Amino acid sequence: DTEVTQTPKHLVMGMTNKKSLKCEQHMGHRAMYWYKQKAKKPPELMFVYSYEKLSINESVPSRFSPECPNSSLLNLHLHALQPEDSALYLCASSQEDRSSYEQYFGPGTRLTVT
Amino acid sequence: GENVEQHPSTLSVQEGDSAVIKCTYSDSASNYFPWYKQELGKGPQLIIDIRSNVGEKKDQRIAVTLNKTAKHFSLHITETQPEDSAVYFCAASLLPRGNYQLIWGAGTKLIIKP
């Protein structure tokens, strides 16, 4: 199973809402990532978790709050977002033992902030 | 910091012809160069990668070449097929220290004309 799943596929939220994005993988990967992708642009790294600990935060605003409850799950909690936060949010995972550097991406959550 | 330039931004080729996408990187210490393919509605998927101790790598119709002196690397797709239509991203990274952080090119939209 080389699949990363993300829910929901689409999300529309107002600026005062609180919502969460979910990501799951069962490949035994110990590194998990959140990326933001705007239309016609490459993915931008937001957060990296390594062995369930936050190892990289690319100066992301606090209205985005990541959480890694266990080695298979990754959440992104959203609160008080701005319209410019509308984008495709991608989750990815990779091995930590450096036998492979491939990042496996999920299909993404298309977020619209109104 | 590292910067990756990718050209062209759009490439249209006749089915059966070859396609070449080129990338240039700025940090001579970079040693890992993956290529990702992103189809509409999906997350990026690794199609081939190369490390700096290798000059060329092939996988069926896909090949990547690396010129460390010139800091160029290229993706070659032969005998293009309609399913090759997608956005292709090159990236660069410094392993093992930077194995989470890929510096992405801007992307190339490849269109295969029937």
Side-chain angles (χ1 to χ4, degrees):
Chain A
D1 180 9
T2 58
E3 191 179 21
V4 175
T5 58
Q6 291 188 245
T7 55
K9 285 189 175 180
H10 301 275
L11 179 63
V12 179
M13 61 185 290
M15 290 189 283
T16 58
N17 292 159
K18 283 185 180 181
K19 296 286 185 183
S20 296
L21 309 184
K22 295 185 185 303
C23 172
E24 191 166 4
Q25 58 88 14
H26 295 287
M27 294 178 277
H29 291 170
R30 302 310 295 270
M32 295 187 76
Y33 313 70
W34 280 114
Y35 286 88
K36 173 183 178 180
Q37 187 178 29
K38 297 284 246 183
K40 300 185 180 180
K41 297 289 186 184
E44 296 174 48
L45 185 65
M46 300 175 71
F47 302 104
V48 181
Y49 274 83
S50 174
Y51 290 95
E52 296 127 67
K53 288 186 172 26
L54 184 65
S55 63
I56 294 176
N57 175 342
E58 291 285 5
S59 303
V60 179
S62 60
R63 56 186 185 268
F64 296 92
S65 175
E67 178 195 20
C68 189
N70 61 55
S71 59
S72 300
L73 292 174
L74 188 65
N75 297 322
L76 186 62
H77 304 296
L78 314 173
H79 177 231
L81 294 193
Q82 304 297 308
E84 58 265 29
D85 296 322
S86 297
L88 181 69
Y89 288 83
L90 294 162
C91 173
S93 69
S94 69
Q95 296 193 27
E96 258 289 29
D97 62 6
R98 297 175 184 164
S99 60
S100 167
Y101 294 99
E102 178 173 359
Q103 294 186 20
Y104 291 79
F105 285 83
T109 293
R110 176 74 59 189
L111 174 68
T112 303
V113 181
T114 60
Chain B
E2 171 70 287
N3 181 50
V4 176
E5 293 190 2
Q6 182 172 348
H7 299 280
S9 56
T10 305
L11 179 59
S12 184
V13 301
Q14 206 69 40
E15 182 179 350
D17 288 350
S18 295
V20 181
I21 302 170
K22 298 182 179 183
C23 289
T24 303
Y25 60 99
S26 60
D27 186 351
S28 56
S30 291
N31 58 7
Y32 174 64
F33 307 94
W35 286 89
Y36 280 82
K37 174 184 180 182
Q38 187 171 22
E39 296 175 275
L40 206 58
K42 296 185 178 181
Q45 180 184 16
L46 181 74
I47 55 171
I48 196 166
D49 58 9
I50 193 168
R51 300 196 191 185
S52 58
N53 58 349
V54 175
E56 183 175 2
K57 184 176 177 180
K58 288 185 79 171
D59 183 4
Q60 300 182 334
R61 296 187 296 109
I62 292 172
V64 57
T65 58
L66 173 65
N67 181 331
K68 285 189 293 182
T69 304
K71 293 188 281 187
H72 289 170
F73 58 112
S74 299
L75 178 71
H76 305 254
I77 305 174
T78 58
E79 301 172 9
T80 52
Q81 299 169 5
E83 54 264 36
D84 295 328
S85 292
V87 178
Y88 291 79
F89 292 101
C90 64
S93 185
L94 173 61
L95 303 177
R97 279 193 288 116
N99 64 320
Y100 301 127
Q101 292 170 292
L102 298 173
I103 308 302
W104 298 76
T108 295
K109 184 176 182 179
L110 178 61
I111 300 165
I112 308 301
K113 297 180 290 185

